[in-house]
Amino acid sequence: MIAARFRSLQQNSDLRRLTLLIGAALAAFGLALVVVVAYAGWSADRTAVIRERQLVENALDNGVSRVLDEQKSIAWWDDAVLNLTRGQVNTAWADVEYGAFLNETYHHADIFVLSDRDAPVYAYVEGQRLEPASAYAPFAAVVGKVVEEARAGAGDLRPRAHVFEAGRARYREQLGGVDPLWSAHILSLYGEPVVVSVMSIVPNVTPSLLHGEPFLLVSVVRIDEAFLGDLGGALLLPNLRVAAGAGAGDAGALTSEVFSADDGASLGYLQWTSRQPGKPLLMFILPLVALGVVLAGALTWVMIGRLKRASNQLAAREAQARHESLHDALCALPNRRQFAELLQVELDALVMNRNGRRVVVACIDVDRFKDVNDTMGHQAGDMLVKAVAARLAPRLEASDVLARFGGDEFAVMRAPAKAKDAAALAETLQRALAEPFELLGQSIAITASIGVAEAPEHGFSSEELIRAADIALYQAKGQGRARSMFFCAEMAADVEHRREIELHLRDAIERGALDLHYQPLIACADGAVTSVEALLRWRHPQRGEIAPSLFVPIAEEAGLMPALGAWVIERAFMDAARWPGLEIAINLSPVQFRHVDLSDTLQRLAAKHNVQPWRILFEVTEGVLLESTERNRSVLDAIRSMGFKVALDDFGTGYSSLRYLADFRFDKIKIDRAFVTDVNERKRAFTIIQSVVTLGRGLNMDIVAEGVETEAEAQAMRMLGVTQLQGFYFSRPVPAERVAEVVAAFSAVARAGEARPLAPQSRAG
């Protein structure tokens, strides 16, 4: 109700008061200029030196008044007060209104905002925002004199800006009691003259916005060549400048007068070429002044019209923006930012009062949410997110805070909590998601991975506690999902271990410290090696061999797969040039498959290493093809049109593999080893493989059996009509230097007509 009344009053009075303020400012500014010009014409009979010295002094005073007027347009403004929150400046707003506006429009070189205790809280120096304390330190001694005078209302410095004082009195009468503080002086900074202007930040419409001592807006304007050039041009005083010495008179009537700062410090000498102003001053300057006032008035009315239209939308936009900045758009739940703020409030209370008080945070991730998006569409994914939020909210206590961090991730805070609340909360969340969801006419059963952390054990800041819960959530997902994990120190150590592996892997990629091994594929027809598969290997200097199953997932999470995949393809093409006639199989990751330059890269590498495209076979899994059928078909067609071959890897492990055989063209199918292992003892697997072979042959595809580890499995695959065999029974992956040796050995066995491989190896061997 109070807010609504405030908005109503603001809408009714903003325009009127703004009009009066701008009119008064324009009148004061125009009057000052007219007085200066009239005084110059009236005093034409006086000696040039006395008259021009007085004009210069008046111009300097008006320059100081101008700086104050420029400050006033920003400092005496309701928005300026509203953008001071809890003693802090809204830096985004300040960068535009204080920094960019004063610096670019009025050439204020240095801008500071001081708190009610005169401590710097904002600094914009030489065109950029800096850290307030360190940026303000070099200015403190000089600026402090003006700040002290502004706060006290009087001081020992020479008075300046009398014109502005009149405007300040009118402002005080209009606002009804608020007495704005200000002070401005010409002082010496680093041995150079400057205008230091200090003005209180107070409301121009609503006095009630001001609480306690006002903050201060500080501007430092250099009295440099441009500043004096403006003054000299306005006064028709050529060559107005500040010099270190008095100089000497010459034919140009050089005038040199002592120039002192308002605290008595010497600033050198003011020098200019003296001339009689007389009629030219009145004939040219007065019309320009009048024109400037008229144009300023016209511009003011245009701006007032725009402000009137904007004021009707301001209150609604502000409330809407505040709500959107703190809430999730899909579920209307608090977002990560608001959750962290609320959590920090509870943690601060925990620090103040530790009598058994606890805070519990649980991070929730919906398992396999991507499958719902991919199979049912993003609309279903959004519906599931909202359904999860609606399911969780009524199961929680009234004091609990439920938030959505984004995607399929939620968070819950329970405070104050008891010792057993962490486990109870995790159990409540798991039970809430145990029942299926109805989406688009389908019943969808989901599970969730939950990570739990609690204070004070796991930290006293929102960042620490959320990070601990995230780490526990990561562990829950890594251990199979559909479970709750409670943070412990060992989890943090595991994260650090993975981070260490990530850093070492980055270094290994940059240094080329990885390697490719090649596993042969044996032709069932004659037992010869017709193809080899490139497999990535990494030998760490201290840790020894690191399994791809460990470092590849880390590379995917860290965004290293583009660089890693590019290295594998480049190296495989380079090695392929060493074995003419031998097919090289390369695994293609989803990241590489989505790369827009994949076709150009493959064509360039084939030409660079002089490798015929038909010798390169790219193996893709169901995960590569799952996202966009049309795009995937075009990519596969482009690869095959260049002469490269494509194989569907791990066939049989995905629920929709048969659909892929209908949608895409493959040269080869690789049956997953889950079907090959102990095939003689599993009639169902035998039948499935037989069906796949028949299907593949009908589609003119070669069939490869992966993971062959025994003679019995090899014989069964041959009997079923598989084209090629691959597995430890025949050979483990070998370095590139041994590929020719292995190929020769199997060729010798094939020529001898033997049915067994040269050196069968078990999985452990």
Side-chain angles (χ1 to χ4, degrees):
M1 181 176 180
I2 295 176
R5 182 180 179 185
F6 167 73
R7 287 194 296 271
S8 177
L9 291 174
Q10 184 181 32
Q11 291 175 354
N12 292 332
S13 63
D14 272 356
L15 188 59
R16 179 176 57 84
R17 295 191 178 187
L18 182 61
T19 303
L20 292 175
L21 180 63
I22 294 176
L26 287 174
F29 184 71
L31 179 62
L33 290 178
V34 170
V35 168
V36 169
V37 175
Y39 176 78
W42 172 78
S43 62
D45 294 336
R46 298 186 179 187
T47 64
V49 173
I50 296 175
R51 181 181 67 249
E52 291 167 356
R53 172 61 183 179
Q54 189 60 49
L55 287 175
V56 170
E57 286 296 330
N58 287 346
L60 288 173
D61 285 348
N62 286 322
V64 175
S65 296
R66 183 190 66 196
V67 173
L68 286 168
D69 273 322
E70 292 164 357
Q71 267 193 312
K72 183 180 68 175
S73 66
I74 299 298
W76 295 355
W77 188 17
D78 284 4
D79 280 9
V81 180
L82 291 172
N83 278 277
L84 296 173
T85 305
R86 298 180 180 176
Q88 298 296 321
V89 178
N90 180 346
T91 55
W93 184 91
D95 284 347
V96 175
E97 301 297 343
Y98 292 157
F101 181 71
L102 290 178
N103 180 264
E104 296 177 10
T105 304
Y106 296 123
H107 307 296
H108 292 205
D110 313 294
I111 300 102
F112 304 93
V113 176
L114 306 183
S115 70
D116 54 349
R117 297 186 179 183
D118 300 336
V121 295
Y122 177 82
Y124 194 94
V125 178
E126 297 295 344
Q128 60 180 336
R129 172 159 49 92
L130 302 177
E131 196 278 323
S134 61
Y136 180 69
F139 299 83
V142 175
V143 173
K145 300 176 184 178
V146 188
V147 171
E148 181 179 356
E149 181 178 282
R151 291 288 191 194
D156 299 328
L157 301 177
R158 175 183 175 180
R160 288 281 185 186
H162 304 291
V163 173
F164 185 79
E165 172 61 22
R168 197 272 296 255
R170 285 191 292 274
Y171 175 86
R172 182 170 59 248
E173 293 171 0
Q174 294 165 9
L175 197 53
V178 173
D179 191 7
L181 307 178
W182 68 275
S183 182
H185 291 281
I186 295 176
L187 297 171
S188 175
L189 182 65
Y190 296 122
E192 298 178 358
V194 295
V195 176
V196 178
S197 173
V198 175
M199 183 171 291
S200 58
I201 300 176
V202 294
N204 67 322
V205 174
T206 309
S208 60
L209 292 178
L210 184 62
H211 302 285
E213 287 294 320
F215 280 36
L216 299 179
L217 176 62
V218 178
S219 286
V220 177
V221 179
R222 305 283 193 271
I223 302 180
D224 53 13
E225 182 178 350
F227 187 95
L228 292 175
D230 290 341
L231 296 181
L235 300 174
L236 298 179
L237 293 178
N239 304 321
L240 180 62
R241 63 183 182 271
V242 175
D250 55 22
L254 178 67
T255 299
S256 183
E257 293 286 326
V258 174
F259 187 26
S260 299
D262 292 349
D263 60 356
S266 175
L267 296 176
Y269 292 83
L270 277 173
Q271 296 181 346
W272 66 91
T273 301
S274 179
R275 61 171 61 184
Q276 294 289 330
K279 292 183 180 180
L281 192 62
L282 298 174
M283 292 176 61
F284 296 106
I285 299 302
L286 278 179
L288 290 176
V289 170
L291 178 61
V293 172
V294 171
L295 291 177
L299 179 60
T300 300
W301 284 112
V302 172
M303 293 303 299
I304 288 174
R306 293 186 178 182
L307 287 173
K308 184 177 180 180
R309 292 190 295 271
S311 64
N312 296 329
Q313 305 171 4
L314 180 60
R317 287 182 178 178
E318 183 180 354
Q320 183 66 21
R322 175 66 179 170
H323 183 273
E324 291 177 354
S325 69
L326 297 176
H327 290 79
D328 171 64
L330 182 61
C331 302
L333 293 175
N335 59 15
R336 190 182 192 101
R337 174 186 170 188
Q338 187 178 18
F339 184 85
E341 291 177 357
L342 297 174
L343 175 58
Q344 191 59 56
V345 171
E346 294 295 336
L347 292 174
D348 291 342
L350 176 64
V351 173
M352 298 297 294
N353 181 12
R354 299 193 184 185
N355 55 349
R357 187 184 182 100
R358 307 175 71 81
V359 177
V360 175
V361 171
C363 287
I364 309 145
D365 187 88
V366 178
D367 295 331
R368 308 191 189 283
F369 177 76
K370 186 176 182 297
D371 291 346
V372 175
N373 270 339
D374 292 336
T375 57
M376 301 180 64
H378 290 282
Q379 179 186 1
D382 290 345
M383 293 174 61
L384 178 59
V385 168
K386 291 192 285 188
V388 169
R391 179 80 63 82
L392 292 178
R395 309 292 181 96
L396 301 173
E397 296 181 359
S399 59
D400 292 345
V401 176
L402 173 64
R404 182 187 178 215
F405 281 4
D408 59 339
E409 189 173 353
F410 295 83
V412 176
M413 175 183 68
R414 176 164 293 180
K418 301 176 183 178
K420 297 182 179 180
D421 274 0
L425 177 60
E427 184 178 353
T428 298
L429 297 172
Q430 291 287 10
R431 285 202 309 268
L433 300 178
E435 301 174 9
F437 291 84
E438 295 296 327
L439 295 178
L440 302 178
Q442 298 186 38
S443 180
I444 305 297
I446 67 168
T447 59
S449 300
I450 300 175
V452 183
E454 53 187 323
E457 289 87 343
H458 304 142
F460 287 99
S461 72
S462 58
E463 293 81 2
E464 290 176 325
L465 210 57
I466 293 174
R467 179 176 181 273
D470 276 336
I471 290 174
L473 171 63
Y474 181 84
Q475 291 290 329
K477 293 171 65 177
Q479 294 190 18
R481 300 183 174 89
R483 65 191 67 217
S484 301
M485 298 291 291
F486 299 85
F487 178 79
C488 62
E490 290 77 9
M491 293 181 182
D494 180 66
V495 170
E496 291 301 322
H497 172 69
R498 296 177 66 87
R499 175 61 177 164
E500 182 182 356
I501 291 179
E502 176 190 333
L503 293 175
H504 289 172
L505 182 57
R506 287 181 185 274
D507 181 65
I509 295 174
E510 292 176 359
R511 294 186 297 104
L514 303 171
D515 197 8
L516 284 186
H517 284 201
Y518 295 88
Q519 188 172 29
L521 279 70
I522 311 303
C524 290
D526 57 7
V529 176
T530 58
S531 178
V532 293
E533 180 180 359
L535 300 170
L536 184 61
R537 294 294 183 264
W538 178 26
R539 175 176 288 276
H540 191 276
Q542 288 78 38
R543 301 176 183 272
E545 290 287 347
I546 298 181
S549 59
L550 175 61
F551 71 80
V552 170
I554 294 176
E556 292 174 345
E557 295 173 6
L560 297 177
M561 283 307 297
L564 194 62
W567 183 90
V568 169
I569 293 178
E570 174 86 26
R571 180 64 178 272
F573 269 80
M574 183 174 64
D575 288 342
R578 303 162 58 179
W579 311 309
L582 195 61
E583 182 181 83
I584 311 298
I586 306 172
N587 289 284
L588 205 59
S589 71
V591 175
Q592 293 170 281
F593 193 78
R594 290 192 295 266
H595 200 284
V596 294
D597 295 330
L598 177 61
S599 299
D600 293 339
T601 300
L602 298 181
Q603 194 168 19
R604 176 180 58 82
L605 291 176
K608 175 181 177 181
H609 298 287
N610 194 25
V611 175
Q612 298 89 343
W614 60 264
R615 293 183 49 220
I616 303 298
L617 180 138
F618 291 103
E619 298 184 1
V620 297
T621 61
E622 181 178 318
V624 172
L625 306 175
L626 190 60
E627 294 180 357
S628 171
T629 301
E630 289 302 324
R631 183 187 180 282
N632 292 337
R633 181 182 292 109
S634 64
V635 173
L636 287 178
D637 288 345
I639 293 175
R640 298 185 81 252
S641 67
M642 290 188 290
F644 297 103
K645 299 178 181 178
V646 181
L648 180 59
D649 198 9
D650 298 334
F651 183 78
T653 58
Y655 64 91
S656 56
S657 294
L658 289 177
R659 192 196 75 192
Y660 297 137
L661 295 182
D663 290 345
F664 305 103
R665 296 176 59 193
F666 297 100
D667 299 283
K668 187 179 293 188
I669 298 175
K670 300 189 74 172
I671 301 174
D672 189 78
R673 68 182 181 186
F675 294 95
V676 176
T677 302
D678 299 326
V679 66
N680 291 308
E681 300 176 6
R682 297 185 299 152
K683 298 285 178 86
R684 293 171 63 87
F686 192 94
T687 304
I688 291 173
I689 295 175
Q690 189 175 39
S691 301
V692 171
V693 171
T694 302
L695 178 63
R697 293 293 181 122
L699 296 174
N700 197 29
M701 301 179 187
D702 290 334
I703 310 299
V704 180
E706 295 182 298
V708 177
E709 298 187 358
T710 66
E711 172 64 22
E713 292 171 357
Q715 291 295 347
M717 294 301 104
R718 292 189 184 98
M719 182 178 64
L720 289 171
V722 169
T723 310
Q724 293 175 314
L725 303 175
Q726 180 181 3
F728 287 174
Y729 175 71
F730 299 98
S731 174
R732 296 178 65 86
V734 298
E737 293 74 16
R738 291 194 54 205
V739 169
E741 171 190 340
V742 172
V743 171
F746 275 96
S747 297
V749 173
R751 287 194 298 273
E754 297 183 21
R756 296 178 61 85
L758 181 66
Q761 304 178 47
S762 68
R763 176 187 292 272

